[in-house]
């Protein structure tokens, strides 16, 4: 029995020894890497650039009051359509005491002058009836009387404007009515009823009552890196994608490239403006974030290969050409001349033909 156990034990040791030897031998053999084989194809290559920016109205008009005072009425809110001449707000005048005093003084002087002119004209009328004075003197006094009446009316009107901001003779064109200067969409109303407003003058820009824009005339405003700005030109088309409307694609045409760049995060960028062509049934809002895709270069019917098979060495480019498959895959390093790239595929101008078989990515090992 003991002899049988010894034999079994030695047999197990031998099996373990041989198995270990075989395992180490198999793992010590060199591994063969196999690669995917890629063939060139004929197609088009287009290099594009993506610009980030916003959709904006070409002109945003700030509506400002013609007089200073307090907002007593607002007739619009953001999102309303207005026509040129529509009253968007009314202003209550807070009269200046000095100007009010001068206006009252002018009225008083006008009344005194009118009373004097009336008295002289009545006297000249009686003298004319008695043929004491000439008709010319009578007509002169009549003219003076008419001028005195006109001056009193003007003084009273000036007082009304100072006190209430309303001309008695032209109330419809009152400066207290703030009117839209263009037809468009109200984008913002930054004031409320009771807010104080100041008219524009040489000392300040005045208070904005509302902002109006023509939303049928839109532009894309974005930034382009200095490495690509030289490849853009005025009149070049681009395609706009709006983030809020993912299914919408808009056509645009570059109409302005800034002559001076600005530094952003250490890189120089140039502002691009493009006229957006939108259908009438498309509702766009000012400030929508958007991306513009513009073609920098394009070639058609050229030999292309995946950019991943290219080996870059300084200014030179190489591919590995399959030369033998009998005893495993064997490749030869071949220099190629490349052209336009879209980041995925690249144009090959020379070095290989369409029948070439090239080394791709590693797929299996043995």
């Amino acid at each position: 029995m003991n002899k049988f156990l010894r034999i079994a034990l030695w047999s197990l040791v031998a099996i373990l020894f041989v198995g270990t030897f075989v395992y180490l031998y198999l793992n010590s053999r060199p591994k063969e890497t196999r690669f995917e084989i890629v063939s060139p194809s004929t197609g088009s290559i287009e290099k594009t650039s993506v610009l980030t920016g916003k959709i904006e109205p070409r002109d945003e008009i700030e509506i400002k009051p013609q007089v200073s005072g307090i907002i007593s009425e607002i007739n619009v809110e953001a999102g309303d359509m207005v026509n040129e001449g529509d009253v968007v707000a009314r202003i209550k005048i807070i009269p200046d005491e000095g100007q009010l005093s001068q206006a009252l003084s002018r009225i008083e002087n006008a009344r005194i002058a009118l009373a004097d002119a009336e008295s002289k004209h009545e006297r000249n009328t009686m003298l004319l009836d008695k043929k004491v004075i000439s008709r010319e003197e009578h007509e002169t006094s009549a003219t003076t009387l008419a001028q005195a009446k006109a001056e009193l009316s003007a003084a009273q009107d000036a007082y009304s404007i100072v006190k209430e901001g309303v001309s008695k003779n032209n109330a419809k064109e009152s400066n207290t009515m703030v009117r839209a200067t263009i037809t468009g969409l109200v984008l913002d109303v930054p004031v409320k009823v009771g807010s104080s407003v100041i008219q524009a003058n040489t000392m300040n820009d005045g208070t904005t009552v509302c902002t109006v824009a023509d939303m049928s005339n839109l532009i894309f405003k974005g930034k382009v890196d200095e490495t690509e700005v030289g490849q853009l030109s005025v009149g070049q088309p681009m395609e706009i994608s709006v983030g809020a409307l993912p299914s919408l694609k808009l056509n645009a045409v570059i109409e302005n490239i800034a002559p001076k760049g600005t530094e952003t995060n250490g890189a120089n960028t140039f502002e691009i403006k493009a006229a957006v062509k939108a259908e009438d049934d498309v509702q766009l809002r000012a400030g929508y974030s958007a991306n513009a895709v513009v073609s920098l270069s394009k070639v058609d019917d050229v030999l292309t290969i995946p950019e991943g098979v290219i080996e870059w060495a300084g200014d030179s480019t190489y591919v590995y050409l399959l030369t033998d498959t009998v005893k495993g895959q064997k490749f030869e390093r071949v220099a190629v001349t490349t052209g336009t790239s879209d980041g995925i595929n690249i144009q090959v101008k020379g070095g290989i033909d369409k029948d070439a078989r090239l080394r791709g990515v590693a797929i299996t090992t043995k």
Side-chain angles (χ1 to χ4, degrees):
M1 184 68 178
N2 290 335
K3 182 178 180 180
F4 176 77
L5 290 175
R6 284 197 300 272
I7 293 172
L9 180 62
W10 282 107
S11 297
L12 179 61
V13 171
I15 291 172
L16 290 173
F17 178 78
V18 173
T20 302
F21 178 78
V22 172
Y23 175 78
L24 293 175
Y25 172 75
L26 292 175
N27 280 276
S28 65
R29 295 174 62 188
K31 296 181 179 180
E32 179 185 0
T33 302
R34 299 190 64 82
F35 296 89
E36 178 186 4
I37 302 303
V38 177
S39 297
S41 61
T42 301
S44 300
I45 298 288
E46 183 176 17
K47 182 181 180 181
T48 60
S49 178
V50 178
L51 286 63
T52 59
K54 292 183 178 181
I55 300 294
E56 298 181 358
R58 184 179 299 278
D59 296 306
E60 291 187 19
I61 306 301
E62 295 181 343
I63 309 300
K64 299 178 183 293
Q66 296 179 327
V67 293
S68 300
I70 295 176
I71 297 291
S72 61
E73 179 183 323
I74 296 179
N75 300 327
V76 297
E77 59 183 21
D80 289 348
M81 286 294 300
V82 294
N83 295 315
E84 182 179 354
D86 287 352
V87 177
V88 298
R90 296 179 185 272
I91 298 175
K92 179 182 178 181
I93 298 298
I94 305 299
D96 179 85
E97 292 299 327
Q99 294 180 348
L100 196 61
S101 177
Q102 291 178 0
L104 286 171
S105 177
R106 180 181 174 184
I107 290 176
E108 188 61 29
N109 291 334
R111 284 175 175 165
I112 294 173
L114 177 59
D116 181 62
E118 287 176 341
S119 176
K120 289 181 178 179
H121 184 61
E122 289 177 1
R123 182 171 62 252
N124 285 346
T125 299
M126 290 187 295
L127 293 176
L128 178 64
D129 292 339
K130 296 178 180 180
K131 298 182 180 181
V132 175
I133 62 174
S134 65
R135 183 171 295 278
E136 182 180 359
E137 289 181 279
H138 181 267
E139 291 175 351
T140 299
S141 65
T143 300
T144 302
L145 176 60
Q147 291 174 341
K149 289 180 179 179
E151 171 59 20
L152 178 59
S153 178
Q156 290 172 336
D157 197 47
Y159 174 78
S160 177
I161 292 174
V162 171
K163 184 178 181 180
E164 301 175 2
V166 178
S167 170
K168 299 298 184 182
N169 299 325
N170 195 17
K172 291 184 179 180
E173 299 297 329
S174 169
N175 290 339
T176 60
M177 299 180 185
V178 183
R179 298 179 181 274
T181 55
I182 65 169
T183 297
L185 183 72
V186 177
L187 301 182
D188 185 31
V189 183
V191 297
K192 299 179 180 179
V193 172
S195 299
S196 296
V197 294
I198 301 173
Q199 71 182 98
N201 53 48
T202 56
M203 301 300 294
N204 59 70
D205 294 333
T207 305
T208 299
V209 174
C210 67
T211 304
V212 180
D214 180 4
M215 295 302 291
S216 65
N217 189 3
L218 301 173
I219 62 170
F220 168 82
K221 185 183 292 185
K223 298 280 188 179
V224 62
D225 189 82
E226 64 179 338
T227 59
E228 297 179 340
V229 69
Q231 301 176 64
L232 302 180
S233 60
V234 173
Q236 194 168 359
M238 57 172 54
E239 185 179 73
I240 308 294
S241 300
V242 180
L245 303 170
S247 62
L248 179 65
K249 300 295 182 182
L250 301 171
N251 294 320
V253 177
I254 297 176
E255 62 180 20
N256 180 265
I257 302 174
K260 181 180 179 181
T262 56
E263 186 172 338
T264 305
N265 298 325
N268 285 334
T269 58
F270 291 79
E271 186 177 75
I272 301 292
K273 293 181 181 179
V276 177
K277 300 176 181 178
E279 300 295 333
D280 294 337
D281 58 345
V282 176
Q283 184 179 10
L284 296 175
R285 300 181 184 276
Y288 267 160
S289 297
N291 292 327
V293 178
V294 58
S295 176
L296 301 179
S297 60
K298 183 179 180 180
V299 289
D300 296 316
D301 297 325
V302 295
L303 196 65
T304 68
I305 60 174
E307 193 168 305
V309 306
I310 295 287
E311 180 183 272
W312 306 87
D315 294 334
S316 301
T317 51
Y318 300 89
V319 295
Y320 285 86
L321 186 66
L322 181 66
T323 58
D324 187 16
T325 59
V326 176
K327 296 181 180 180
Q329 294 175 319
K330 291 185 179 180
F331 299 94
E332 178 185 355
R333 190 178 189 227
V334 177
V336 293
T337 304
T338 58
T340 302
S341 170
D342 61 6
I344 299 176
N345 297 313
I346 189 169
Q347 176 190 7
V348 178
K349 295 182 176 180
I352 59 173
D353 57 28
K354 63 179 181 179
D355 298 323
R357 302 179 69 192
L358 309 176
R359 188 182 77 180
V361 298
I363 53 175
T364 61
T365 59
K366 292 184 179 180

